[in-house]
Amino acid sequence: MSLGVRWRLHGDGKNLAPGEIVRPDERLTWGRTAGLGAQHVVSMIGACFVAPILMGLDANLAVMASGAATILFLLITRGRIPSYLGSSLSFIGVAAVIQTQGGDAATLTGALLVVGAVLFLCGAAIRALGARVIHTILPPVVTGAVVMLIGFNLAPVTAGTYWPQDQWTALLTMLFTGFALVVLRGFWSRIAIFLGLAFGYLVSWVFDRVFGKIHSPAGGAESVDHWRLDLSGVAEADWIGLPTLHAPGFSLSAVLVALPVVIALIAENAGHVKAVGEMTGDPLDDKLGTAIMADGAATVMATSVGGPATTTYAENIGVMAATRVYSTAAYWCAAGFAILFGLCPKFGAVVAAIPGGVLGGITVILYGMIGLLGAQIWVRSRVDLSNPLHLVPVAAGLIVGIGNVSLKLTDNFELSGIALGTLIVVVGYHALRALAPAHMKTEPPLTASDDPGYDRGLPGGS
């Protein structure tokens, strides 16, 4: 059986017409494909490092585990779903609660391993029962909202963490990246995100030489004098070194704290797969269960050696939306780079040195594009937002998710942000649907071209 590791060359592998796409089973020349893979690593690296650091886990191990997890995901899905698996941000709150209970890193990774196993079983059930099950629970109005709140929930990270560190570098980086995405042609436009980061690095270096240190927050709440681009850690770091590994430990209380996140992960995965299917033009309903299984298996693998839970990364979906290159070969290259970089402490130091202002400029565009993919799902599925049945749960869930509203259920457990927003959208929609009058529950009939082919074996329902 095919494992999705053979790609045909797209055209001459070099030249792409405006708007032309490269499909998952195609590739450009290997040099260009490697460059795109590097761009995927760059786009995910910030969040992939931030999550484990906030959870008290080894960041280099997280990067290496993300590469291995991505390879496992691509093999299980047989190359149908171009996605990168990075460190999940959904468990940062869980980690904080477990720490307050006296748990350590092993306790946390043990709880996350159990979550991964449960996610795998949920995916297996969805795969066995068919895509109609998950589409009944997560119709387009719901998945569009989940994709949107996942993207826009990241807005406070840009506004509160990255942008204030150097607003002028952030603004210039944002403008240059937008210019590169829209104006540049051919391969250069396809690596616009990487070019934006390189441009931001250069601007930060120049500003340091011209204006000296900047007085602003530097990874903390207080403003201090600091260099925009501080490479001192790079010189001190070793070239080769193994990340810190540890075995997971298991605590029932920690597992109970982490388990509710499974609900959000299923919705998040479904939203991501739906978004990828929308972009590639290849309906992936037959692969929803498999994708969720793959994410669960990848999480089990990563946490078994002390790494964080993994998830399909919205940042990389944003890169695909910008480049229109969906080749899984690029993700294999990205995974290889991540594994190598995880074994290089000096690489970790280079990534850690990315100026906050640069990340601010890049993430303004990326996170916004992610959120708008949710709107694209609504438009293409003809979701009627004038229908109160659709409007009310979506409106409430988006505000809760984007605003990081929290709900404290017990002294040891609370839901917030994406998890709470997702629950409000999903539960609210189905509760209201059960009570709504019949005319609100009437959905427009699917046309032949819209038929997602739930019950057919071939992709696209053909």
Side-chain angles (χ1 to χ4, degrees), residues 218-442:
E222 297 183 0
S223 294
V224 297
D225 291 331
H226 64 94
W227 297 109
R228 297 167 180 81
L229 180 60
D230 183 3
L231 298 176
S232 59
V234 178
E236 298 171 359
D238 294 328
W239 279 103
I240 300 175
L242 288 172
T244 303
L245 307 179
H246 69 257
F250 299 96
S251 163
L252 179 59
S253 61
V255 170
L256 291 177
V257 168
L259 268 180
V261 181
V262 168
I263 299 172
L265 292 179
I266 292 174
E268 183 181 23
N269 271 274
H272 285 181
V273 171
K274 187 74 174 179
V276 172
E278 291 285 340
M279 288 189 297
T280 61
D282 177 17
L284 296 170
D285 302 288
D286 61 320
K287 286 293 183 180
L288 278 176
T290 303
I292 294 171
M293 288 176 60
D295 190 7
T299 292
V300 169
M301 179 185 67
T303 54
S304 66
V305 295
T310 62
T311 187
T312 51
Y313 250 32
E315 287 87 342
N316 298 90
I317 293 176
V319 170
M320 286 195 297
T323 63
R324 298 178 66 83
V325 176
Y326 311 121
S327 172
T328 56
Y331 281 105
W332 275 87
C333 290
F337 287 141
I339 291 172
L340 292 176
F341 292 158
L343 296 171
C344 178
K346 195 172 287 290
F347 163 75
V350 171
V351 172
I354 295 176
V358 177
L359 292 175
I362 293 292
T363 54
V364 162
I365 293 177
L366 276 184
Y367 294 169
M369 292 176 70
I370 296 162
L372 290 177
L373 285 174
Q376 182 175 324
I377 291 173
W378 286 344
V379 170
R380 293 194 175 182
S381 300
R382 296 176 300 186
V383 173
D384 181 10
L385 290 179
S386 67
N387 184 343
L389 174 59
H390 297 163
L391 183 62
V392 171
V394 166
L398 285 177
I399 292 300
V400 167
I402 295 171
N404 269 326
V405 175
S406 62
L407 180 66
K408 188 173 183 178
L409 301 177
T410 69
D411 290 338
N412 297 323
F413 178 67
E414 72 173 26
L415 290 171
S416 63
I418 292 175
L420 181 57
T422 297
L423 282 176
I424 287 175
V425 173
V426 176
V427 176
Y429 172 80
H430 289 288
L432 291 174
R433 185 176 178 84
L435 301 172
H439 72 275
M440 288 188 184
K441 296 185 281 189
T442 302

Side-chain angles (χ1 to χ4, degrees), residues 51 55 57 86-89 91 109 112-113 115-116 265 295 298-300 302-303 307-311 313:
M55 291 189 289
L57 302 176
S87 306
S88 176
L89 297 169
F91 294 97
T109 53
L112 301 189
L113 189 152
V115 169
L265 292 179
D295 190 7
T299 292
V300 169
T303 54
T310 62
T311 187
Y313 250 32

